[in-house]
Amino acid sequence: MAGHSKWANIQHRKGRQDAVRSKLFSKLAKEITVAAKMGDPDVDKNPRLRMAVKEAKSQSVPKDVIERAIKKAIGGDAENYDEIRYEGYGPSGVAVIVETMTDNKNRTASTVRSTFSKNGGNLGETGSVGFMFDRKGEVTYKAEVGDADTVMMAAIEAGAEDVESTEDGHTIYCEDSELNDVSNALEKELGESESTKLVWKPTTTTELDLEGMQKLMKLVDALEDDDDVQRVTTNFEASDEVMEQL
């Protein structure tokens, strides 16, 4: 998962934090509203809503923003959003998956297409790059919850598939349909997770040099600046030397 895990580090270095954070809060709130509207507004009875709230809390979204997003769904004044996935290729042939929530499909499709073409990529058909990723549940913990063996044992007991432990923390993967059960079991053993969400995990990666990474970052930044885009996943791979130069 090299591309995905390093992406947070890249964003952290780029000095756009305030604007990025404001946009992130609104996207997380939108996910909460949609989850509450589609299912039960009670967090304990709605796994998708529970995960959305947990993810929002992990990103320091204020409690009143979370509560307001749920009330919006209950009140019936929430917009109707369609969840649409776009797939395409970025610079150097990197695979890109764009997940959106939109109240205007035509607007979003047009914007995503033009963003790809303006930034050295091209939008493909659905399924054009999806085969290079597996849909997985991902649960992350800080390094201090335990050593690699402790976390591995907890993950096995919880029914997870794989664990990646580094000095920065632990990332646990499971089948997408098992995420709620696995995350609840892990919580009993390791406590509250840092993050619990569904991800696209690359099965093959594309190695990029510094120029390739800079071009890819430009594309991803442009996509993420669109309010309709919830998240962008790529399958890039880059050396530590390249990452340090960004």
Side-chain angles (χ1 to χ4, degrees), residues 10-58:
I10 297 169
Q11 284 190 319
H12 186 66
R13 294 176 193 159
K14 288 185 359 221
R16 302 169 65 238
Q17 285 310 91
D18 289 344
V20 169
R21 182 157 292 272
S22 168
K23 204 168 277 285
L24 178 64
F25 280 11
S26 67
K27 292 181 181 188
L28 290 167
K30 187 194 284 188
E31 168 64 30
I32 289 169
T33 300
V34 169
K37 190 174 182 183
M38 288 174 64
D40 195 297
D42 184 340
V43 174
D44 293 327
K45 297 176 183 174
N46 184 336
R48 177 172 173 175
L49 178 58
R50 185 159 60 249
M51 284 187 284
V53 169
K54 183 181 278 190
E55 184 65 16
K57 286 179 177 176
S58 78

